[in-house]
Amino acid sequence: MTITNEQVAGRAFLRPLYADTYFPDHVVDKGRAILLRLCERIEAEQPSELAALYVLTQAATEEFNLLEAEFEAAGSEIETVAREEIAEDFAFVAKAYGFADADVEELIATREW
């Protein structure tokens, strides 16, 4: 599926992580893919209320939970810089799809990182 939201299509997700050699690009690529799949799901399912959006974002957050092991295997981890960047991208996605009042902590409530 092609992302139709122009803001999202033009976004370089997780850019600061790519710029930091501590975070291996091949693992960051998987994180970027999680965020893009989230956007595709939002466009496909078109949630009309925050509760429905939170279901989608929390499922994507659980994918990041699984990705933590890959970061660790590559000698990295989802630490402060990564946590903040991931959370910022989740907030961006919510706003881009019309949910400016979304609570960032609720968007990623299922996180283990």
Side-chain angles (χ1 to χ4, degrees):
M1 176 179 186
T2 302
I3 302 292
T4 60
N5 182 303
E6 290 182 18
Q7 290 178 16
V8 172
R11 177 77 170 195
F13 287 111
L14 306 176
R15 178 181 292 194
L17 302 189
Y18 283 109
D20 188 334
T21 58
Y22 177 70
F23 304 104
D25 286 353
H26 72 281
V27 183
V28 178
D29 287 345
K30 292 180 180 186
R32 180 178 174 275
I34 292 168
L35 291 164
L36 290 171
R37 279 194 307 276
L38 169 62
C39 295
E40 290 172 351
R41 284 193 68 192
I42 291 170
E43 290 190 12
E45 297 180 26
Q46 299 183 359
S48 60
E49 56 186 38
L50 275 174
L53 176 69
Y54 291 148
V55 168
L56 299 178
T57 61
Q58 290 171 9
T61 299
E62 290 172 14
E63 289 185 63
F64 271 102
N65 290 344
L66 298 174
L67 195 58
E68 173 69 13
E70 292 190 48
F71 273 103
E72 290 174 359
S76 184
E77 66 179 306
I78 299 178
E79 45 73 75
T80 304
V81 170
R83 281 192 299 269
E84 290 176 5
E85 184 59 30
I86 293 166
E88 184 178 308
D89 279 343
F90 271 92
F92 167 81
V93 167
K95 288 178 184 155
Y97 287 103
F99 294 95
D101 56 342
D103 180 297
V104 176
E105 290 301 318
E106 192 63 30
L107 290 170
I108 57 173
T110 55
R111 73 181 170 143
E112 296 174 358
W113 27 271

